């Protein structure tokens, strides 16, 4: 029987009432196996004792640094780096790769005297938090010697020599500077994540290295780092050697659920409160969930339960959401250590999976799922769905519990479920829409059809991408060449179809509205949907609802929001996400600046929002669905049966032709973000239903 069986009754006393309110018929205990399946042994037990027993505040940062394996092995490591123009570095999490290697390179002379060391991260919050840590270790202000550059924030200066940036930002830099002349060393960190942008960078950086050689310029040093990765593949691709670093991971005990859990989010919360009941307050908890909506709902439940436990001898509990749509400063809130006597519960997406150290975390709860976007080249649809993680991802999550001291990881799935997981995630490049990547590569001067990817995307997907760009007017000829329009499109950090909407809006005199709607679509939903107040939320939303569809509805929301003085209060009253609207405002400003650089004519269509729908059609003409005789919908291009998502303002109307922005697969395919389209507009554009493709 599981370790938590005995505690059942005690748990019921404290927690059952609260949870039964949320979900009356479910058990209130998640049972885990008795024997942890794997105990990660410490490499160096003596040192383990040292770091674990000493109060964290009393050892200096410098002492902490010196205890890391990377530091201890620095001589040999630097020698290897010096000797090879490219080196693959494998080191367990916590060995000090991300924070220490750049700091070792700087005084070694390997980075030259003026060039920058650029370290890429797959995620914004990782780049920011690591840069801050390293600045602190160097005793400097962030943005001087050590800085970071992420979308919407460039915290670097002419003095910056160590620069953390997202992989996407580096691809953008390569678009205007193909030899990456600012850098003497480029470090591709967390290469195992294989985000599209990392995969593009693998090729782009290798190309920059060769170009510099050809032009007899200063060489570019390249380091590819990861904790878990397919070493052979990387060494072969780069024709470079690999070095291994031992880890300094503290031991983490792993518990698997004894039975498959029906509702992972609920089980994760129950587990969190079991931990809350049984452990000292200084041990913080990190839960991996899949997305903003799920996390926000869990935050509400957890806060309710915490409130009910108030005064029953439990330490106070502070709950933090963590996901990429949160503004960076709010994401960083979750990283701050909690005050003594108070416990922190962080509910996060996979943004906390790699690279980051969240102070205080000793317990990780892994639900084993992640939300991922998958592109189907045959149907041309990008579908967002919840999927099982790979073993590599599960280990990364586990590792988050042992960054600062010994920890525990509770997996909300069985040992057998774990065994059945894939070893590595499928590289994103093999499963996403490639139109954006193709455009970026062409802007760098590279043809995607011949580009040497580490894992080639399916030929079909490449063809679809090139055809899509041709149809948008961004490329022509064979091999494909960028048109003037395509060059302008490459300036925008968006899916080319959305960029097209912005560019085409000029012709329809609605640039202002197009910028607003595209900005809103770039973030997460602005509507909140509290389960307890669904009816009120519905009424509030209907005040903005437009019979023209969700895009005009979004526009109505944004227009009202901008005119409002007390924005936060107003959002609350109207069941709107203040943060997401703030985020959209920031994105809009960026897009407006790019539009100005591209000399796009400013215009507003006012109440004539039909213009906006016409502009949307220019970019998203492949995303149409048509009403059938039996009152169901099928997509125009691939005849796929689809349904209108219940959240859409068009849910109860049945327009003959609709344009959609997103497909969500939950059993069946639902369309989200809809606009009513007149079929006569298609004729105007020379498009015909059934001939779209
Ligand atoms: O990249 P890798 O996983 O090898 O390690 P790292 O990110 O360089 O971090 C090395 C160690 O520094 C971690 O295990 C933490 O003990 C510490 N660290 C920290 O305490 N706070 C941070 N923000 C970053 C690192
Ligand atoms: Mg790292």
């Amino acid at each position: 029987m599981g370790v938590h069986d005995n505690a059942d009754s005690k748990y019921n006393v404290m927690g059952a009432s609260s949870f039964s309110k949320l979900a009356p018929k479910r058990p209130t205990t998640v049972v885990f196996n008795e024997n942890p399946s794997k105990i990660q042994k410490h490499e160096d037990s003596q040192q383990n004792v040292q770091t674990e027993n000493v109060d964290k505040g009393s050892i200096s940062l410098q002492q902490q640094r010196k205890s890391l394996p990377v530091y201890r092995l620095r001589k040999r490591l630097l020698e290897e780096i010096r000797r090879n123009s490219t080196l693959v570095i494998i080191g367990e999490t916590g060995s000090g790769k991300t924070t220490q290697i750049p700091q070792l390179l700087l005084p070694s002379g390997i980075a030259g005297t003026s060039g920058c060391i650029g370290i890429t991260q797959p995620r914004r919050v990782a780049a920011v938090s690591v840069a801050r840590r390293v600045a602190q270790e160097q005793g400097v202000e962030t943005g001087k010697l050590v800085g970071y550059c992420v979308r919407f924030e460039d915290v670097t200066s002419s003095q910056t020599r160590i620069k953390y940036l997202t992989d996407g930002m580096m691809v953008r830099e390569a678009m205007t500077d193909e030899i990456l002349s600012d850098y003497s060393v480029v470090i591709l960190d967390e290469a195992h994540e294989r985000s599209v942008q990392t995969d593009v960078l693998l090729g782009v950086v290798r190309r920059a290295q060769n170009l510099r050689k050809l032009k007899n310029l200063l060489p570019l040093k390249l380091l590819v780092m990861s904790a878990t990765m397919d070493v052979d593949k990387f060494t072969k691709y780069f024709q470079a050697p690999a070095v291994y670093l031992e880890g300094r991971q503290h031991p983490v005990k792993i518990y698997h659920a004894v039975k498959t859990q029906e509702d992972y989010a609920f089980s994760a919360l129950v587990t969190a409160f079991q931990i809350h009941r049984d452990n000292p307050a200084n041990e913080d908890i990190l839960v991996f969930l899949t997305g903003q909506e799920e996390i926000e709902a869990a935050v509400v439940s957890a806060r309710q339960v915490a409130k009910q436990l108030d005064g029953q001898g439990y330490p106070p509990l502070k709950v933090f959401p963590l996901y990429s749509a949160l503004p960076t400063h709010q994401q960083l809130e979750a990283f701050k250590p909690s005050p003594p006597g108070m416990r922190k519960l962080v509910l996060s997406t996979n943004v906390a999976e790699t690279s980051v150290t969240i102070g205080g975390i000793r317990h990780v709860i892994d639900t084993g799922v992640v939300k991922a976007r998958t592109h189907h080249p045959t149907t041309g649809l990008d579908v967002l769905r919840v999927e099982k993680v790979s073993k590599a991802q599960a280990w990364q999550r586990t590792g988050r519990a042992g960054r600062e001291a010994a920890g525990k990881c509770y997996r909300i799935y069985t040992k057998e479920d774990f065994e059945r997981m894939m070893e590595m995630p499928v590289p994103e490049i093999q499963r996403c829409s490639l139109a954006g990547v193709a455009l970026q590569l062409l802007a760098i001067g590279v043809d995607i059809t011949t580009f040497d990817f580490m894992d080639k995307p399916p030929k079909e997907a490449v063809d679809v991408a090139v055809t899509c760009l041709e149809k948008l007017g961004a490329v022509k000829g064979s091999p494909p060449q960028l048109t003037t329009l395509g060059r302008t499109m490459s300036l925008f950090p968006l899916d080319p179809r959305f960029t097209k909407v912005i560019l085409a809006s000029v012709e329809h005199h609605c640039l202002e509205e197009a910028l607003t709607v595209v900005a809103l679509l770039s973030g997460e939903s602005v509507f909140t949907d509290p389960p307890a107040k669904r009816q009120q939320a519905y009424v509030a939303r209907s005040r903005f609802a437009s019979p023209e569809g969700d895009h005009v509805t979004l526009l109505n929301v944004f227009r009202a929001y901008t005119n409002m003085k007390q924005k936060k209060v107003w959002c609350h009253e109207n069941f709107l996400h203040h943060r997401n609207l703030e985020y959209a405002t920031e994105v809009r400003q960026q897009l407006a600046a790019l539009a100005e650089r591209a000399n796009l004519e400013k215009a507003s269509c006012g109440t004539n929002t039909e213009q906006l729908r016409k502009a949307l059609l220019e970019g998203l003409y492949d995303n149409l669905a048509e009403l059938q005789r039996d009152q169901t919908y099928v997509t125009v291009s691939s005849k796929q049966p689809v349904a209108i998502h219940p959240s859409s303002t068009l849910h109860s109307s049945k327009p003959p032709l609709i344009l959609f922005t997103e497909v969500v697969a939950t059993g069946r395919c639902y369309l989200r973000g809809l606009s009513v389209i007149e079929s006569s507009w298609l004729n105007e554009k020379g498009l015909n239903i059934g001939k779209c493709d």
Side-chain angles (χ1 to χ4, degrees), residues 93-94 96-99 121 189-190 225 354-356 400 403:
T93 46
K97 299 180 298 298
T98 308
T99 55
Q121 297 292 320
D189 200 3
E190 308 297 352
M225 308 202 299
T354 45
S355 256
V356 300
R400 298 303 112 188
R403 298 288 278 181

Side-chain angles (χ1 to χ4, degrees), residues 29-279:
T29 312
V30 180
V31 182
F32 291 93
N33 57 349
E34 200 149 10
N35 299 313
S37 59
K38 178 173 175 183
I39 298 180
Q40 296 193 343
K41 282 264 157 45
H42 206 282
E43 309 277 357
D44 178 350
S45 52
Q46 212 180 346
Q47 185 209 323
N48 186 10
V49 173
Q50 256 180 25
T51 39
E52 264 180 48
N53 290 350
V54 180
D55 170 32
K56 252 204 111 198
S58 70
I59 37 170
S60 72
L61 270 185
Q62 298 316 318
Q63 275 171 304
Q64 266 189 54
R65 281 186 65 193
K66 287 183 180 156
S67 71
L68 294 170
V70 163
Y71 187 86
R72 284 187 277 131
L73 297 169
R74 64 191 181 284
K75 281 220 178 76
R76 275 197 40 217
L77 184 63
L78 286 174
E79 211 171 284
E80 289 295 332
I81 295 176
R82 213 183 293 274
R83 210 166 28 201
N84 297 287
S85 58
T86 303
L87 188 66
V88 176
I89 301 174
I90 318 282
E92 282 177 32
T93 46
S95 50
K97 299 180 298 298
T98 308
T99 55
Q100 303 310 312
I101 290 182
Q103 297 188 75
L104 292 175
L105 286 174
L106 201 57
S108 74
I110 295 174
T113 48
S114 59
C116 221
I117 303 170
I119 310 101
T120 65
Q121 297 292 320
R123 274 180 275 272
R124 205 153 46 104
V125 67
V128 179
S129 70
V130 173
R132 290 192 177 172
R133 166 75 178 196
V134 172
Q136 198 190 0
E137 289 184 2
Q138 286 283 323
V140 296
E141 205 180 306
T142 317
K144 297 282 166 58
L145 181 70
V146 185
Y148 62 88
C149 185
V150 298
R151 194 156 79 134
F152 305 133
E153 246 191 312
D154 181 357
V155 186
T156 60
S157 61
S158 55
Q159 291 153 274
T160 305
R161 303 284 316 279
I162 297 180
K163 175 170 164 184
Y164 289 89
L165 67 176
T166 50
D167 41 21
M169 285 308 297
M170 189 165 271
V171 173
R172 300 236 133 238
E173 288 186 9
M175 281 163 59
T176 48
D177 177 14
E178 61 177 356
I179 57 167
L180 295 166
S181 46
D182 284 350
Y183 300 93
S184 51
V185 184
V186 168
I187 304 179
L188 302 180
D189 200 3
E190 308 297 352
H192 73 278
E193 281 223 5
R194 305 290 308 275
S195 73
V196 177
Q197 299 291 320
T198 306
D199 269 21
V200 169
L201 269 185
L202 291 174
V204 165
V205 176
R206 197 173 68 162
R207 182 168 172 271
Q209 212 179 24
N210 289 335
L211 285 174
R212 286 212 212 170
K213 220 180 274 167
L214 282 175
K215 294 182 180 172
N216 251 336
L217 299 167
L218 278 176
L220 177 64
K221 180 84 66 188
L222 174 60
L223 306 178
V224 183
M225 308 202 299
S226 174
T228 38
M229 75 178 168
D230 196 338
V231 186
D232 290 346
K233 212 175 207 170
F234 279 81
T235 51
K236 217 155 116 202
Y237 185 71
F238 285 104
Q239 308 223 305
V243 292
Y244 297 83
L245 300 170
E246 67 177 26
R248 199 221 53 175
Q249 175 77 6
H250 299 275
V252 179
K253 282 188 191 172
I254 297 166
Y255 300 91
H256 289 95
V258 169
K259 275 202 308 228
T260 300
Q261 300 294 310
E262 224 171 87
D263 180 344
Y264 62 81
F266 177 78
S267 304
L269 276 188
V270 173
T271 306
F273 280 94
Q274 286 174 356
I275 295 166
H276 185 44
R277 178 193 57 195
D278 296 334
N279 294 277

Side-chain angles (χ1 to χ4, degrees), residues 500-518 555 559 588 600-618:
K500 177 69 185 230
V501 171
I502 292 178
L503 299 186
S505 71
V506 175
E507 191 188 318
H508 296 282
H509 309 290
C510 60
L511 177 66
E512 297 295 335
E513 288 73 20
L515 291 173
T516 300
V517 170
V518 171
L555 183 65
R559 281 174 169 172
R588 193 186 182 286
L600 302 188
E601 194 188 324
K602 274 191 194 165
S604 163
C605 62
T607 51
N608 194 5
T609 41
E610 179 182 314
Q611 314 270 73
L612 170 69
R613 289 183 289 138
K614 284 186 174 172
L616 285 165
L617 181 63
E618 303 257 5

Side-chain angles (χ1 to χ4, degrees), residues 331-496:
Q331 293 189 37
L332 291 166
E333 284 296 307
F335 286 69
K336 293 185 184 154
S338 40
M342 182 184 268
R343 192 191 312 280
K344 177 167 78 177
L345 170 62
V346 181
L347 305 170
S348 175
T349 60
N350 59 350
V351 304
E353 195 172 283
T354 45
S355 256
V356 300
T357 302
I358 299 182
I361 300 296
R362 301 286 179 275
H363 302 270
V364 164
I365 301 174
D366 175 15
T367 53
V369 278
V370 65
K371 200 186 264 177
R373 192 177 290 282
T374 310
H375 183 74
H376 293 278
T378 40
T379 61
L381 301 179
D382 257 340
V383 180
L384 208 55
R385 69 169 100 226
V386 171
E387 290 173 5
K388 289 212 165 68
V389 298
S390 64
K391 282 183 190 158
Q393 287 169 292
W395 284 121
Q396 282 289 334
R397 291 179 175 193
T398 301
R400 298 303 112 188
R403 298 288 278 181
E404 298 170 327
K408 289 182 179 148
C409 176
Y410 297 83
R411 292 179 173 164
I412 307 289
Y413 43 89
T414 65
K415 186 92 199 304
E416 293 69 40
D417 288 336
F418 175 77
E419 296 302 339
R420 278 194 292 269
M421 284 175 175
M422 276 187 302
E423 292 297 327
M424 295 277 165
V426 177
E428 218 182 349
I429 195 103
Q430 293 192 327
R431 46 185 242 171
C432 77
S433 157
L434 293 175
V437 174
L439 190 66
Q440 283 180 331
L441 286 173
L442 283 167
I444 300 172
V446 183
D447 175 4
I448 189 173
T449 55
T450 53
F451 187 65
D452 185 17
F453 283 108
M454 180 181 273
D455 282 295
K456 286 229 178 316
K459 179 167 184 316
E460 211 181 9
V462 174
D463 291 346
V464 168
V466 174
T467 312
C468 168
L469 291 177
E470 273 169 5
K471 284 206 259 177
L472 292 171
V475 304
K476 59 168 188 259
S478 171
Q481 300 282 317
L482 223 50
T483 61
T484 317
L485 180 84
R487 171 85 37 207
T488 311
M489 279 174 75
S490 73
L491 295 175
F492 287 80
L494 295 170
D495 181 307

